[in-house]
Amino acid sequence: MDPHPRPYIKQVANSIYKSPQKPHNNSITSTQDYTVGTMTNSSNKTTLSIIGPLDPTSISNLEASLAKFDPTIFLDVDRGAEKTTVALNHESMDIDKLVETVSQAGYDFNRDKVILNIGGMTCAACVIHVEKAIKTVTGITNANVNLATERATIEYLSGVDVLTDLQTSVDDAGYVIAGVADELSISDEEKMTHAKEIESLKTKTAASLLLSLFIFLGSMQDWFPAMPNLIYNWHVLWALATPVQLWAGWQFHTGAWNALKHKTSNMNTLISVGTMTAYIYSTVITFGGTSLHLDAISAAEGKVYFDTSSIIISLVLLGKFLEARNKGQTSEVIHKLMDLQPKMATVIRKDVEEYVSVSQIFVGDVVIVKPGERIPADGLATDSVSSVDESMLTGESMPVTKVAGDKVFGSTINKTGSLKFTATSVGRDTVLSHIIRVVQEAQGSKPPMQRLADIVAGYFVPAVIIIAAITFVTWVIIGPEPVINNALLNMVAVLVIACPCALGLATPTAFIVGTGKGAENGILIKNAEALESMHRTKTIVLDKTGTLTLGKPHLTDIVSFGNSEDDIIGLAASCEKGSEHPLAQAMLEAAVDRGLPLENSRDFISIPGLGVQSTINGKQVALGNLSLMTEIGCNIDDMQDKQDDLALMGKTPIFMAVDNEITGLMAFADKIRPEAKKTIEILHSMQINTVMLTGDNQHTAKRIAKDLGLDQVISQVLPEDKAKHIKTLQNQGHRVAMVGDGINDAPALAQADCGIAIGTGSDIAIEAADITLIRNDLTDIINTITLSKATIRTIKQNLFGAFFYNVALIPIAAGILYPIFATNPVPTLLQPMLGQYGFLNPALAAGAMAASSITVISNSLRLKRYKIHRV
């Protein structure tokens, strides 16, 4: 992952903590929206949304960049509506260069995302062909094609109609768009199509294997002399081989023809060319060998090669059948999550209970869930008490007690008592729906190592065809008798054994299982880059409040300078009642416990990293640290020692000043998470450096860091400076993961190589992070790292197997062993594999190729046995 994220992400994250307003959609965008239009006349205008600042300097830079790019572009800024309109000539405009120009000016376009089902892909070479076809469409900014899921995740400029052009481009490349994939369910049509595909493969595999058995027996008369003479007849062998070649193997031939029409090649090309060469050669010998003077060649060898073509197709089909069946197991977590969603629910409308479809639940509906039923939506419990099994979200088996006001989550199970709640999120907005979307997007994303494998595969097939041609010519010139037969068999062996199926499956199958395993255990991984990045992380930076601590501080000390304790607490709580900061909540709880009334306040101002100010009964009240007191002109000479004493005890001191005169000092303590110390110890055992990054004072930070055994403390950091400290660590050569939960952590989470958000944190932090720990347990940092390492280890094993398999066996298939066995006969035990001269049997090459794909998938499925660590 790029340690220096896109400028607009950092800019948006930095702007968020300055404003309590939530972004207008689910993407990481600021509340400042602009419009860019592309048009050829007044009736043909496309509206695009742009992300970036509206200040005059920035707009001026954008205007200058656009003018330099194309003087005909007109930029119109509407500051009142907070948007900008750009008019341009769409026919003459290069959209990709426009995006680049806008990006260089510090802006970016809003993007939409669509997931398409892609049909006709068979190997890694197909992936690169489909991606190239998609990226030729104007407005597409990114495309990831996944062979394992047979889906394309496409990002495009919002407002641009790309689907029609996508259909044409993908069709022209020889593949099919089989519809838009539903993120939250698998349609009956998709299930039926997949089931039909497996059933068709099963039927063709069984039939071709049976026919190939008889063809093999008839082709090996020396091995099986007791068979009926009829089966040794070449015409009978042809009759048995033709259905295998032209019915069971038809999909390979049509796939190869489509690739040829589009001047590309793929696995189908290799299988089709190899088997058709053996089949046609044998057919010609059977029906017209004499006229073509091939009968002598045939007689010299005493056989035809219908067994070769048939067995190759049978074994490849068997591999495809097992592959299709096993691929379903790699993504079964998604299916399980989808199956958790209940179909029906009981709602109360006009004091009457109605049994309705879950799709008919609306926000605000009162829902009743009986014991044993799944909760159909997210909401807040009302007047009932029950226990809920939330293991599908958190991995914890112990039920959670729910009372009035507690959050409940869709698809969790109500265990005891009748649970009544008010729906707050339904359908696509529930936590489970969000998890499904994130996991699907992660499984459709592509890490750098897979991009490299796809590029290699794109060049691999044409290279193999060239090698096969060279092999044929070489053995025609220098090969042993019968020359044509041996040259032909070697060429077919090279074509078949080199199919890059395993190469295309090596990475995505492991990532699908890895991200699914994470989701099963409350680790929500948003993209493949994040999972890949974590295994190389050497420094973990942790926020203090809400991350290393529980985020629920309580008032421990009150020092009064003239006022009573009740006056200090009452005034402080009145000042903070509009704030959601944990310390503000602690003050309010203290006031409620003492039964203190709250005064009305106005002109509330939050000063990030310092404190708050407001006006109460005409008095200016300020609450904050020493820096704030200094800034507003308070005399702090006699306060430093008292503050330091409290800080050395691990407490957070907060001053209160009225009309710039300090009237009180309060101290708050937050409990350290019970699993924090053990987590730090385990991270150290993994040779990972730990750093605490906090806005708290130095003494408090050092005390907590000492208790936990952290390696480094960076304290008294303003929110806008957190990302700078992350960048400093990166510039020092550290690969940094940042763990946080607050709005002010968002810039640092975006800057880090991998951002990790605590699940109970703010929406902004979760949105900015790459990984979310739903269980709110620091132990899952360790689980994320070990899961990443296990996944990457599996991928490396898969890639090594796929590459080594091709690199090692292609030379053998090409006949590199011939010099060894030219004078010394092949041992009898090896002759079924290597023949008389050390030439690899093409049928065995097909078996090895099929076995490689199955091995890759099976190796990936081992990740399902990964064990989650619990402290």
Side-chain angles (χ1 to χ4, degrees):
M1 183 182 294
D2 186 355
H4 310 288
R6 291 168 288 178
Y8 74 89
I9 290 184
K10 289 192 293 181
Q11 182 181 56
V12 169
N14 279 313
S15 69
I16 287 169
Y17 67 80
K18 297 178 182 177
S19 169
Q21 187 173 4
K22 189 177 179 179
H24 60 87
N25 59 21
N26 289 331
S27 61
I28 305 178
T29 59
S30 74
T31 56
Q32 301 170 333
D33 284 346
Y34 325 68
T35 310
V36 177
T38 59
M39 67 181 196
T40 54
N41 53 58
S42 58
S43 63
N44 182 17
K45 184 175 181 179
T46 302
T47 300
L48 307 178
S49 180
I50 236 181
I51 305 169
L54 271 174
D55 61 274
T57 302
S58 299
I59 289 294
S60 178
N61 292 337
L62 174 61
E63 188 173 27
S65 298
L66 290 174
K68 186 177 180 180
F69 172 71
D70 189 324
T72 65
I73 291 180
F74 176 72
L75 182 68
D76 180 35
V77 181
D78 185 345
R79 298 188 187 282
E82 290 190 338
K83 67 179 182 180
T84 304
T85 301
V86 177
L88 52 92
N89 187 336
H90 183 68
E91 292 180 352
S92 63
M93 191 62 58
D94 187 326
I95 295 295
D96 292 336
K97 288 185 178 179
L98 174 63
V99 171
E100 183 181 352
T101 299
V102 169
S103 177
Q104 289 174 350
Y107 293 77
D108 201 356
F109 291 98
N110 251 349
R111 292 164 168 79
D112 284 335
K113 187 176 289 184
V114 64
I115 302 175
L116 302 177
N117 294 315
I118 304 293
M121 295 192 299
T122 55
C123 66
C126 297
V127 170
I128 206 72
H129 294 154
V130 175
E131 282 190 354
K132 285 182 178 179
I134 291 172
K135 290 178 180 178
T136 60
V137 176
T138 299
I140 300 293
T141 58
N142 192 31
N144 283 321
V145 177
N146 192 309
L147 178 63
T149 60
E150 295 180 317
R151 288 182 170 184
T153 303
I154 300 167
E155 192 178 77
Y156 62 96
L157 299 181
S158 302
V160 178
D161 182 10
V162 298
L163 291 180
T164 302
D165 291 340
L166 274 173
Q167 183 79 49
T168 302
S169 184
V170 172
D171 285 348
D172 288 345
Y175 302 89
V176 177
I177 293 180
V180 178
D182 191 332
E183 295 174 320
L184 301 182
S185 66
I186 298 176
S187 67
D188 292 338
E189 184 180 353
E190 282 186 80
K191 292 178 181 177
M192 190 177 298
T193 300
H194 184 64
K196 283 182 177 179
E197 178 189 1
I198 292 179
E199 190 61 31
S200 175
L201 282 171
K202 182 180 179 180
T203 302
K204 290 182 177 180
T205 300
S208 60
L209 283 172
L210 181 62
L211 291 171
S212 296
L213 173 62
F214 288 110
I215 295 169
F216 178 72
L217 294 173
S219 301
M220 299 294 177
Q221 187 172 1
D222 293 341
W223 291 10
F224 308 102
M227 301 299 295
N229 288 332
L230 181 66
I231 202 171
Y232 302 132
N233 185 285
W234 289 355
H235 292 83
V236 173
L237 294 179
W238 172 84
L240 293 172
T242 298
V244 177
Q245 186 70 30
L246 301 183
W247 169 66
W250 188 248
Q251 65 193 63
F252 303 122
H253 309 316
T254 55
W257 175 247
N258 287 333
L260 179 63
K261 286 193 298 184
H262 298 94
K263 300 177 181 179
T264 62
S265 56
N266 53 33
M267 184 209 82
N268 293 315
T269 306
L270 302 180
I271 298 299
S272 181
V273 171
T275 60
M276 285 301 288
T277 300
Y279 174 80
I280 291 172
Y281 173 77
S282 301
T283 301
V284 169
I285 287 179
T286 300
F287 291 97
T290 301
S291 61
L292 295 174
H293 305 290
L294 294 174
D295 53 342
I297 297 173
S298 161
E301 182 66 9
K303 64 180 294 185
V304 287
Y305 297 100
F306 292 120
D307 60 328
T308 297
S309 62
S310 299
I311 292 174
I312 287 173
I313 286 177
S314 299
L315 290 177
V316 173
L317 283 172
L318 176 62
K320 285 293 176 186
F321 167 67
L322 295 174
E323 178 185 310
R325 194 176 64 177
N326 288 346
K327 274 200 299 188
Q329 296 180 39
T330 63
S331 57
E332 68 179 12
V333 169
I334 288 289
H335 300 156
K336 286 180 179 178
L337 288 174
M338 291 176 177
D339 290 341
L340 291 176
Q341 302 172 90
K343 307 298 182 186
M344 305 294 290
T346 303
V347 299
I348 301 177
R349 291 172 180 162
K350 297 181 180 180
D351 297 326
V352 177
E353 292 187 9
E354 296 182 19
Y355 195 57
V356 301
S357 168
V358 169
S359 62
Q360 295 177 338
I361 299 177
F362 302 100
V363 173
D365 275 343
V366 176
V367 185
I368 296 178
V369 186
K370 297 175 183 178
E373 291 183 342
R374 290 193 180 274
I375 296 172
D378 295 354
L380 295 175
T382 53
D383 57 354
S384 53
V385 177
S386 183
S387 62
V388 177
D389 178 359
E390 295 184 341
S391 58
M392 51 79 61
L393 286 178
T394 65
E396 292 291 345
S397 57
M398 291 296 294
V400 180
T401 301
K402 300 292 181 179
V403 298
D406 286 347
K407 290 182 180 180
V408 296
F409 302 100
S411 301
T412 56
I413 302 173
N414 181 33
K415 300 293 288 184
T416 59
S418 181
L419 176 66
K420 185 185 292 186
F421 72 95
T422 302
T424 56
S425 298
V426 299
R428 303 176 69 87
D429 297 325
T430 64
V431 169
L432 179 65
S433 297
H434 174 69
I435 290 173
I436 293 173
R437 278 196 298 271
V438 169
V439 174
Q440 283 194 328
E441 288 181 11
Q443 293 183 347
S445 62
K446 187 176 295 185
M449 61 175 63
Q450 178 61 30
R451 299 181 201 280
L452 178 61
D454 287 347
I455 292 171
V456 170
Y459 293 102
F460 189 73
V461 174
V464 167
I465 294 173
I466 294 172
I467 293 171
I470 293 172
T471 299
F472 180 80
V473 172
T474 300
W475 293 116
V476 165
I477 296 173
I478 67 170
E481 294 292 342
V483 171
I484 295 297
N485 292 34
N486 287 321
L488 178 70
L489 291 178
N490 287 340
M491 182 189 75
V492 172
V494 169
L495 289 171
V496 173
I497 206 163
C499 291
C501 303
L503 193 60
L505 295 169
T507 299
T509 52
F511 267 109
I512 287 172
V513 179
T515 53
K517 191 67 179 179
E520 263 186 348
N521 292 278
I523 302 170
L524 201 55
I525 301 163
K526 293 184 179 180
N527 53 64
E529 288 87 350
L531 190 60
E532 182 178 350
S533 176
M534 280 304 294
H535 90 284
R536 290 179 287 166
T537 297
K538 292 301 179 185
T539 298
I540 300 282
V541 177
L542 303 109
D543 173 52
K544 181 180 77 69
T545 304
T547 302
L548 288 171
T549 66
L550 293 174
K552 295 181 178 179
H554 58 281
L555 182 64
T556 59
D557 299 86
I558 304 173
V559 179
S560 175
F561 302 108
N563 295 345
S564 68
E565 290 187 359
D566 284 354
D567 288 341
I568 294 173
I569 294 173
L571 199 57
S574 298
C575 181
E576 289 272 28
K577 68 179 180 180
S579 172
E580 295 183 356
H581 192 281
L583 293 183
Q585 297 301 310
M587 291 180 192
L588 289 168
E589 288 177 7
V592 170
D593 289 344
R594 296 186 179 217
L596 302 176
L598 300 183
E599 304 287 345
N600 292 324
S601 66
R602 59 184 179 86
D603 302 329
F604 177 85
I605 300 173
S606 176
I607 308 170
L610 298 177
V612 298
Q613 288 179 295
S614 68
T615 302
I616 301 176
N617 295 330
K619 298 178 180 180
Q620 298 295 322
V621 180
L623 288 166
N625 54 27
L626 268 182
S627 298
L628 178 61
M629 298 299 109
T630 302
E631 188 172 296
I632 64 177
C634 294
N635 183 0
I636 61 171
D637 293 341
D638 299 329
M639 311 296 173
Q640 186 76 49
D641 291 342
K642 187 59 179 176
Q643 180 209 241
D644 291 347
D645 290 341
L646 292 170
L648 286 171
M649 297 168 64
K651 299 177 181 180
T652 300
I654 296 294
F655 290 94
M656 183 173 74
V658 178
D659 291 336
N660 298 343
E661 192 73 31
I662 295 178
T663 59
L665 172 63
M666 293 168 286
F668 299 84
D670 191 1
K671 291 184 179 179
I672 293 175
R673 289 182 180 274
E675 77 278 9
K677 186 174 179 63
K678 185 64 176 178
T679 299
I680 299 302
E681 290 175 356
I682 296 174
L683 288 173
H684 286 162
S685 71
M686 300 169 70
Q687 307 301 310
I688 293 176
N689 187 50
T690 56
V691 180
M692 183 167 70
L693 183 65
T694 178
D696 214 337
N697 69 78
Q698 185 177 12
H699 295 297
T700 303
K702 282 187 175 181
R703 174 64 180 268
I704 292 176
K706 183 179 179 181
D707 291 343
L708 292 176
L710 293 162
D711 297 309
Q712 184 180 351
V713 179
I714 305 174
S715 58
Q716 294 179 288
V717 180
L718 294 176
E720 60 265 31
D721 292 333
K722 284 191 173 184
K724 295 178 183 177
H725 285 284
I726 296 292
K727 191 170 184 178
T728 299
L729 289 169
Q730 290 171 329
N731 291 337
Q732 293 171 355
H734 297 265
R735 192 161 191 88
V736 180
M738 168 71 189
V739 187
D741 72 315
I743 291 176
N744 61 353
D745 295 322
L749 291 169
Q751 174 64 47
D753 297 287
C754 186
I756 303 174
I758 299 295
T760 54
S762 71
D763 291 343
I764 302 305
I766 292 172
E767 193 65 46
D770 303 295
I771 296 172
T772 301
L773 307 181
I774 298 175
R775 290 195 325 121
N776 197 27
D777 188 334
L778 291 182
T779 307
D780 283 336
I781 298 173
I782 299 163
N783 291 323
T784 303
I785 296 171
T786 54
L787 178 61
S788 172
K789 289 183 176 181
T791 305
I792 298 303
R793 184 168 56 251
T794 301
I795 289 170
K796 288 179 178 179
Q797 292 168 352
N798 289 347
L799 289 173
F800 174 79
F803 275 115
F804 177 79
Y805 158 84
N806 284 312
V807 171
L809 294 186
I810 287 177
I812 295 175
I816 198 172
L817 298 179
Y818 174 70
I820 298 174
F821 298 112
T823 55
N824 301 309
V826 175
T828 304
L829 186 64
L830 297 178
Q831 283 186 8
M833 293 184 289
L834 299 176
Q836 183 180 356
Y837 300 108
F839 296 148
L840 185 65
N841 188 322
L844 293 177
M849 186 272 288
S852 67
S853 295
I854 298 168
T855 300
V856 161
I857 295 175
S858 300
N859 190 46
S860 297
L861 288 172
R862 289 191 309 111
L863 282 171
K864 294 171 70 174
R865 299 198 296 268
Y866 167 82
K867 299 295 183 183
I868 291 294
H869 182 88
R870 298 291 186 223
V871 172

